[in-house]
Amino acid sequence: MCGRYSALAKPKGKSKAAKLLAKSLNEAHYNAAPSQTLPVVTNDHPDAIQFFSWGLQPFWAKDAKAVKRAINARAETLAEKPSFRKLLDSKRCLVPADGFFEWQVTEHGKVPYRILLKEEDTFSFVGLWDEWLDKSTGELLHTYTIITTEANELVKPIHDRMPVILSPEAEELWLDAHESQEELLSLLKPYDANQMKAYPVSPLVNAAQNNVPEILNSL
């Protein structure tokens, strides 16, 4: 599961996400949480940052509370579930980030960790998006979900799942309209643990309203 992450206003690195964020993001998200409006790059607008709500609201839902909004989708079952399979073919997105948070269960309680690339570069999670029309107001709601996979060797002692992270080259493939489903699914694998690092952080991250840089500090 991925339930919190960060996206800084001063991105680093050569990824597509970093280049686009540098032009469009004015406010840092130190503690991005579900239901918040956050930056994404969609296959419909691959050269621009858009701001969607985190938590997928499927187009077929009768009302805003008809279904529980999915913040994550499992890579292993995407092609099996009709709702996700359709989005895999037509509505894919990148979710820019520079780190994510997971909680390790210990005998003293849950300890939050920040997990990121060793070079601390901005990268992209793999996502799916959809749009939902509120028939009572005419408002069009754009939402997204982050795809997860099994944890790599770095993350596994902390949590058994992790978000799918793409290399800069794979970002372009994920947004490419000509990629086959088989080729897209082949991208959904754990990131190289040797290129990542993790460290414990303050319990400040436990509360979504705490959007402060101190959250990123190592204990």
Side-chain angles (χ1 to χ4, degrees):
M1 179 176 180
C2 174
R4 298 289 173 81
Y5 65 91
S6 56
L8 303 186
K10 295 183 179 180
K12 293 173 53 182
K14 299 179 181 179
S15 69
K16 183 183 189 77
K19 294 173 184 176
L20 293 176
L21 276 188
K23 301 175 183 178
S24 306
L25 189 63
N26 298 317
E27 180 183 0
H29 298 281
Y30 299 105
N31 193 14
S35 80
Q36 293 179 358
T37 301
L38 299 162
V40 299
V41 182
T42 69
N43 56 315
D44 276 5
H45 295 86
D47 296 314
I49 291 289
Q50 296 174 274
F51 290 86
F52 289 2
S53 178
W54 185 13
L56 191 72
Q57 177 82 351
F59 75 93
W60 47 261
K62 293 182 179 180
D63 59 65
K65 297 181 180 179
V67 295
K68 184 178 179 180
R69 289 172 56 176
I71 65 170
N72 293 154
R74 294 176 68 93
E76 297 88 340
T77 56
L78 278 187
E80 300 171 11
K81 296 188 175 181
S83 56
F84 289 147
R85 184 169 63 240
K86 182 177 180 180
L87 297 181
L88 179 63
D89 290 335
S90 61
K91 290 184 169 68
R92 301 183 300 280
C93 65
L94 307 176
V95 182
D98 52 74
F100 63 98
F101 302 97
E102 288 293 359
W103 282 255
Q104 183 182 53
V105 177
T106 74
E107 59 183 10
H108 303 294
K110 291 185 177 181
V111 177
Y113 277 77
R114 185 171 185 238
I115 304 162
L116 64 167
L117 302 186
K118 281 186 176 179
E119 300 300 321
E120 302 188 5
D121 285 348
T122 300
F123 55 81
S124 293
F125 297 134
V126 176
L128 301 173
W129 65 279
D130 207 350
E131 52 188 18
W132 176 78
L133 177 64
D134 187 336
K135 294 181 179 178
S136 64
T137 65
E139 178 187 6
L140 196 60
L141 176 66
H142 291 90
T143 63
Y144 71 94
T145 188
I146 294 173
I147 298 174
T148 66
T149 186
E150 61 181 354
N152 62 23
E153 293 306 310
L154 175 78
V155 179
K156 197 173 295 183
I158 303 169
H159 197 276
D160 62 351
R161 304 287 296 176
M162 66 180 291
V164 177
I165 296 172
L166 294 178
S167 67
E169 298 76 20
E171 287 179 324
E172 299 292 345
L173 295 175
W174 184 249
L175 296 181
D176 189 341
H178 303 293
E179 294 295 308
S180 69
Q181 187 178 100
E182 183 178 355
E183 290 169 324
L184 293 170
L185 290 173
S186 72
L187 300 175
L188 307 182
K189 55 189 178 183
Y191 200 78
D192 183 359
N194 294 321
Q195 302 301 317
M196 302 180 72
K197 62 182 180 179
Y199 58 83
V201 295
S202 166
L204 279 171
V205 72
N206 294 344
Q209 64 266 29
N210 292 333
N211 185 37
V212 292
E214 290 78 12
I215 281 176
L216 307 185
N217 295 340
S218 175
L219 288 183

